[in-house]
Amino acid sequence: KNEVEQSPQNLTAQEGEFITINCSYSVGISALHWLQQHPGGGIVSLFMLSSGKKKHGRLIATINIQEKHSSLHITASHPRDSAVYICAVPKSSGDKLTFGTGTRLAVRP
Amino acid sequence: EPEVTQTPSHQVTQMGQEVILRCVPISNHLYFYWYRQILGQKVEFLVSFYNNEISEKSEIFDDQFSVERPDGSNFTLKIRSTKLEDSAMYFCASREGSLNGYTFGSGTRLTVV
């Protein structure tokens, strides 16, 4: 069984701030997923990473496999970044995902 | 960009009724999934489907649930006799291969009354 812990649960930021969301998991994995859930409920995949760092626009995801920890960073945050950010990892057997509880981000103008 | 399409976006049904939630995965994807999210809770795995059969299912996926890929494009989730606790957002997802990322549909909000 693989547990996924995210922090913080809620985050409020001013527009332009640098944001960090953290994710820890309990067992070894092949890859970790960062997802964004919009207020309407839809889920968008942001990153899948198994080592190092990935960047897409203002979003950066890093992972430390030895420490079982990943971070999602948002640079120059904007109100349109307001969403729930979810970390998910495969179960120890198989490829189904175990989801974290999510971090609800609100970016104020 | 290719999308996973889910219909309907919202369905209200009476307890005990059968519902079918429909999904059209991306055409060259081989792995298909259903997840659900009860309001205010985490997303939970229901079932995975590969090579025309269920590859894995969770404890939630009891004999009231079934999945089908009837025509090579649609991927459906059927709940035979809905309960109040089946009210949730149901997400379909697909991936091209086991090492690829997931693409999620926009979800079907099921309300059982």
Side-chain angles (χ1 to χ4, degrees), chain A residues 5-74:
Chain A
E5 302 273 342
Q6 282 187 241
S7 64
Q9 288 191 354
N10 293 284
L11 181 56
T12 301
Q14 281 299 124
E15 184 173 354
E17 282 185 7
F18 180 84
I19 287 158
T20 296
I21 299 169
N22 296 299
C23 175
S24 298
Y25 51 92
S26 56
V27 301
I29 59 169
S30 55
L32 178 143
H33 301 257
W34 280 104
L35 309 161
Q36 180 191 55
Q37 187 167 28
H38 297 294
I43 295 175
V44 173
S45 181
L46 298 175
F47 295 103
M48 175 175 131
L49 67 165
S50 53
S51 65
K53 178 168 133 176
K54 283 191 176 179
K55 185 175 189 289
H56 183 67
R58 295 180 294 105
L59 301 178
I60 303 166
T62 63
I63 190 167
N64 184 319
I65 295 289
Q66 287 75 30
E67 293 187 5
K68 298 186 175 60
H69 180 270
S70 176
S71 293
L72 177 68
H73 307 284
I74 306 174

Side-chain angles (χ1 to χ4, degrees), chain A residues 3-4 33 35 37 40-43 45 48 86 93-97 99-101, chain B residues 31 33 35 37 42-43 45 48 56 89 91 95 99-102 104-106 109:
Chain A
E3 298 297 334
V4 181
H33 301 257
L35 309 161
Q37 187 167 28
I43 295 175
S45 181
M48 175 175 131
I86 303 170
S93 61
D95 67 342
K96 60 185 185 286
L97 295 176
F99 287 72
T101 51
Chain B
Y31 294 79
Y33 307 84
Y35 288 86
Q37 185 179 34
K42 292 191 288 189
V43 178
F45 169 77
S48 57
E56 202 163 358
M89 182 78 104
F91 292 102
R95 59 195 321 205
L99 299 180
N100 296 98
Y102 293 76
F104 286 83
S106 53
R109 184 169 298 283

Side-chain angles (χ1 to χ4, degrees), chain B residues 9-58:
Chain B
S9 56
H10 190 187
Q11 178 145 8
V12 181
T13 190
Q14 289 210 321
M15 193 167 53
Q17 294 296 303
E18 175 184 285
V19 294
I20 297 175
L21 310 184
R22 300 180 194 280
C23 170
V24 179
I26 294 172
S27 60
N28 64 334
H29 285 193
L30 300 177
Y31 294 79
F32 313 110
Y33 307 84
W34 283 101
Y35 288 86
R36 80 170 185 191
Q37 185 179 34
I38 293 171
L39 188 64
Q41 297 187 21
K42 292 191 288 189
V43 178
E44 309 172 280
F45 169 77
L46 289 177
V47 66
S48 57
F49 193 87
Y50 170 72
N51 202 24
N52 285 318
E53 60 182 24
I54 291 174
S55 43
E56 202 163 358
K57 59 185 179 179
S58 71

